[in-house]
Amino acid sequence: MTGYHLSKSHPRYKSLYYRDLLADGVKRGVTSLQGLTAHGRGEAFDYLLEEKTCHFAQKATEAAASLLLLSDYPVLSINGNTTMLAAKEFISLAKILGAPIEINLFHFSVKRIKQIAVHLKKLGATKILLPDGGILPKVESARRMISKEGQVKADTVFVPLEDGDRTGALIAMDKRVITVDLNPLSRTARSATITIVDNIVRTMPILIETTDAYKKKSDKWLQAKLDNYDNQLVLSEAILTIRKNLTALSKHSVSYDKINRT
Amino acid sequence: MTGYHLSKSHPRYKSLYYRDLLADGVKRGVTSLQGLTAHGRGEAFDYLLEEKTCHFAQKATEAAASLLLLSDYPVLSINGNTTMLAAKEFISLAKILGAPIEINLFHFSVKRIKQIAVHLKKLGATKILLPDGGILPKVESARRMISKEGQVKADTVFVPLEDGDRTGALIAMDKRVITVDLNPLSRTARSATITIVDNIVRTMPILIETTDAYKKKSDKWLQAKLDNYDNQLVLSEAILTIRKNLTALSKHSVSYDKINRT
C-alpha cells in the first residue's frame, strides 16, 4: 500500500494504519489530497483526547441514535475520508435506518464521486444518491450541490468529518444535523444539533450498536433521551477534557525533562 | 490547481490556501503524502494558538536570529513542506547569513530531492546541498543521509517542520538546533536549542527582518540576548497559552450560543 511494512507492534500502529488507509484512498481516487491534511488535524485533536471515546461522545452517540430513529427521513452524507475510514459501517447504519447515503464533496470531481459510488456498491450499499441539481442556499463551495431526493428532503442529516460551511446552512433550513468532529471548537461542531467529539472509526460501531438496540424503544422513550441532551454541555466537557489532558501532558513533559537533566 | 475556486471571503481562506499549496506540492513531486497529514496536525495546534504569533514565538525568533548570526557555519535544512510554504523566505535568510540550504527528507526519494532543488534554483537559491555520503549517527530514517559540506560541518542547524528524530541526534553531536514547530509537546520542540512555536509562514518574515536588523549589533549584544533566553520557559508559555485559549474559546462558545438562542 505505501511501500513499507507497518509493524503491529509500533506504538503508533493504529494511527499510522488509518493514515496509510487515507493515502491509499488518494491513490484510488476516493480521498482528496486536502482530505489528508484534514485527517492530520483530527489526529492532533484525537491525541489531545487520549485517543479514546469519552463520556461526552457516548452521550452524544445515544442522542444521535435517538434522533436518527425519530426522524421521518434521515440522510447519511458521505465524503472521501469517511468512505475510506467507515464505508462498511455507513452502509450498516443506512440499512438499520432504511436511509439513503448521499455523496457530497467539498473538493468536487465527477471522477471522485464515481469512485466513491463504485466503492460503496462493492461493499453492498443499495440507496446511493449523487448531486442531481438540488442546491443548498448560501453555501459557496461544491458542498452546495446536493440531491433533491436526499438532503433537500431530509429532516435530519448525518454529516461526519465535515470541512465546509454546510452545517449552518442545513440548520438554517430547519433540518437537524448530527456530526462527528474531533475538534469541539470547529464551526461545524458548534452549529450542529448533535456533535459526537470522537474518532469516526471508534464512533461508528457504537452508533450502529446503539441505533440497533434503540429500535425496540418507544418514540416517547427516544424523545425523552433527546430532550435530556445538551449539546453545549457536551462541547464544554470536550474542551475541558482537552484542557485537562494538555495539563497532564505538559506535566509529564516537565518531569521527563527533569529526569533527563539529572 | 485543485479544480475548485477558493473564495477569499471564506472564513478559513488562509488555512485552506496553504492546504491547497501543499496539495499542489504533491502534484509537483515536492511534498510527500505524509507531509500533508503532518501539516494537518500543525493546523490543529495553530488553531489552538489562535493562528497568531505569540510573545513566546517572538522571543524565540529573536534568540534564533542572534544564534544564527553568532554561528561560524549555520546550515538551513529544508524539506518538502517547507519548500512549498517558505522557499522564498528560506532563500532570503540564506543570503543574509551567507549560509547553504541543505535538502533533507524523511520520506526520501531521488526524484523529490531533484524537484526541490529545481524549485529552489528557480527562485534564486545559489548554495544548495544534497545528501553526499555524510551520516547522522543513531538516526534510522532517511534523515540520517546528510551533506559533508552541510550538517556534518555545521555548528548550528535550522530544522523547521521536523518530523523525525534528527534534532536529538544533532544535539548529541554538540550542534545547536533551531526549529519551528506548532506543537510545543513534540520531541523536536522539546529537544531543540531554540523552539519557535509558530506557523512557518508567519515566522519566516519576522526571522528575516530580525536577522537583518541584528546584523548591525555587536557579538556581545547578540550573546547577551542568547544568554537571557530560556527555551523551557518558552515551551511552558506556549502550553499555558493553548490552555488559556481553550478556556476562553469554551467560554466564547457558550456566550456565542446564548446570543444565538435569544
Side-chain angles (χ1 to χ4, degrees):
Chain A
M1 190 152 85
T2 51
Y4 75 100
H5 174 70
L6 172 61
S7 163
K8 279 200 174 183
S9 66
H10 193 290
R12 304 286 310 151
Y13 172 75
K14 267 196 188 174
S15 174
L16 294 173
Y17 172 80
Y18 290 112
R19 196 184 289 181
D20 288 351
L21 197 63
L22 287 181
D24 190 45
V26 170
K27 285 167 198 161
R28 288 176 186 225
V30 165
T31 313
S32 71
L33 289 172
Q34 289 83 351
L36 298 185
T37 309
H39 182 71
R41 175 189 274 231
E43 275 185 7
F45 281 103
D46 205 12
Y47 186 82
L48 293 173
L49 287 166
E50 295 187 319
E51 292 167 338
K52 63 187 184 195
T53 298
C54 301
H55 62 98
F56 48 80
Q58 180 65 40
K59 274 200 288 188
T61 304
E62 289 170 13
S66 305
L67 178 53
L68 286 169
L69 288 167
L70 284 170
S71 300
D72 290 324
Y73 194 62
V75 169
L76 313 184
S77 173
I78 201 163
N79 64 10
N81 280 17
T82 307
T83 300
M84 287 314 293
L85 296 172
K88 274 186 201 168
E89 291 74 13
F90 239 69
I91 295 164
S92 298
L93 184 64
K95 284 191 177 156
I96 292 171
L97 297 167
I101 296 176
E102 180 175 338
I103 304 172
N104 189 280
L105 306 179
F106 183 71
H107 293 95
F108 182 84
S109 93
V110 174
K111 203 177 151 194
R112 272 183 70 218
I113 294 249
K114 210 174 144 185
Q115 287 299 326
I116 291 173
V118 166
H119 191 89
L120 292 173
K121 272 181 198 159
K122 265 190 198 160
L123 293 171
T126 46
K127 291 194 220 172
I128 303 172
L129 299 171
L130 312 181
D132 59 11
I135 289 290
L136 202 51
K138 292 186 188 167
V139 172
E140 279 190 37
S141 74
R143 290 254 189 232
R144 73 181 178 283
M145 296 187 276
I146 60 176
S147 168
K148 290 173 191 163
E149 295 306 308
Q151 290 177 78
V152 171
K153 278 170 63 178
D155 53 350
T156 297
V157 191
F158 182 51
V159 288
L161 311 191
E162 177 71 356
D163 53 8
D165 41 6
R166 188 165 43 135
T167 301
L170 289 168
I171 293 283
M173 288 169 81
D174 239 7
K175 299 175 189 295
R176 273 99 34 115
V177 176
I178 301 164
T179 192
V180 178
D181 193 331
L182 279 158
N183 175 5
L185 301 160
S186 77
R187 278 185 306 153
T188 297
R190 284 160 59 177
S191 51
T193 316
I194 297 172
T195 308
I196 305 171
V197 183
D198 199 6
N199 190 320
I200 194 162
V201 302
R202 289 194 303 267
T203 284
M204 286 305 293
I206 305 171
L207 182 58
I208 291 166
E209 201 186 349
T210 309
T211 308
D212 205 32
Y214 282 13
K215 276 194 103 164
K216 296 170 212 132
K217 305 288 188 185
S218 67
D219 279 6
K220 201 180 153 190
W221 189 92
L222 294 170
Q223 190 60 53
K225 194 92 193 164
L226 209 52
D227 291 343
N228 283 324
Y229 178 76
D230 181 347
N231 205 51
Q232 294 313 314
L233 180 65
V234 154
L235 292 176
S236 298
E237 284 173 343
I239 294 165
L240 288 175
T241 300
I242 291 176
R243 254 199 61 165
K244 200 187 66 183
N245 291 343
L246 193 71
T247 310
L249 283 164
S250 83
K251 277 182 187 151
H252 173 72
S253 162
V254 169
S255 64
Y256 168 87
D257 289 312
K258 269 189 189 156
I259 291 161
N260 270 21
R261 277 176 187 175
T262 53
Chain B
M1 187 152 89
T2 53
Y4 78 100
H5 174 68
L6 173 60
S7 163
K8 279 201 174 180
S9 66
H10 193 291
R12 303 287 310 149
Y13 172 76
K14 265 196 189 174
S15 176
L16 293 174
Y17 172 80
Y18 289 112
R19 200 182 274 190
D20 288 352
L21 197 64
L22 287 180
D24 190 46
V26 170
K27 286 169 197 161
R28 289 177 186 223
V30 165
T31 313
S32 70
L33 288 176
Q34 291 82 352
L36 298 185
T37 312
H39 180 72
R41 283 199 305 276
E43 277 186 1
F45 282 100
D46 203 13
Y47 195 87
L48 294 173
L49 287 166
E50 295 188 319
E51 292 167 338
K52 64 184 184 196
T53 298
C54 302
H55 62 99
F56 48 79
Q58 181 65 38
K59 275 200 288 188
T61 304
E62 289 170 11
S66 305
L67 177 53
L68 286 168
L69 288 167
L70 284 169
S71 300
D72 290 324
Y73 194 64
V75 168
L76 313 184
S77 173
I78 202 163
N79 64 11
N81 281 17
T82 308
T83 300
M84 288 313 293
L85 296 172
K88 275 186 201 166
E89 291 75 12
F90 240 68
I91 295 164
S92 297
L93 185 63
K95 285 192 178 157
I96 292 171
L97 296 166
I101 296 176
E102 180 176 338
I103 303 173
N104 189 279
L105 305 179
F106 183 73
H107 292 95
F108 181 85
S109 92
V110 174
K111 202 177 152 195
R112 272 184 69 218
I113 294 249
K114 211 175 142 183
Q115 287 300 326
I116 292 172
V118 166
H119 191 88
L120 293 173
K121 270 180 200 160
K122 265 191 200 160
L123 292 172
T126 45
K127 292 195 218 172
I128 302 171
L129 299 171
L130 313 180
D132 59 11
I135 289 290
L136 202 52
K138 292 186 188 167
V139 172
E140 280 189 36
S141 74
R143 289 253 189 232
R144 73 182 177 281
M145 296 187 279
I146 60 177
S147 167
K148 289 173 192 163
E149 295 306 309
Q151 289 177 79
V152 170
K153 278 169 63 178
D155 53 350
T156 297
V157 191
F158 182 51
V159 288
L161 310 192
E162 177 72 356
D163 53 7
D165 41 6
R166 188 164 44 134
T167 301
L170 289 168
I171 293 283
M173 288 169 82
D174 240 7
K175 298 175 190 294
R176 271 98 36 110
V177 176
I178 300 164
T179 192
V180 179
D181 193 331
L182 279 159
N183 176 4
L185 300 160
S186 78
R187 276 185 307 157
T188 298
R190 286 158 55 177
S191 51
T193 315
I194 296 171
T195 307
I196 304 171
V197 183
D198 199 6
N199 191 321
I200 194 161
V201 302
R202 289 193 303 266
T203 284
M204 288 304 294
I206 304 172
L207 183 57
I208 290 166
E209 199 186 350
T210 310
T211 308
D212 204 31
Y214 282 13
K215 275 194 105 166
K216 297 170 213 134
K217 304 287 184 183
S218 68
D219 279 6
K220 201 181 154 190
W221 190 92
L222 295 170
Q223 190 60 52
K225 194 95 193 161
L226 209 52
D227 291 344
N228 284 325
Y229 178 76
D230 181 346
N231 205 51
Q232 292 311 316
L233 181 65
V234 155
L235 292 176
S236 300
E237 285 173 344
I239 294 165
L240 288 175
T241 299
I242 291 176
R243 264 199 55 170
K244 200 187 67 185
N245 289 345
L246 275 167
T247 312
L249 284 164
S250 90
K251 278 178 191 157
H252 172 71
S253 169
V254 169
S255 64
Y256 167 86
D257 290 305
K258 267 189 190 154
I259 293 159
N260 272 18
R261 276 177 188 173
T262 53

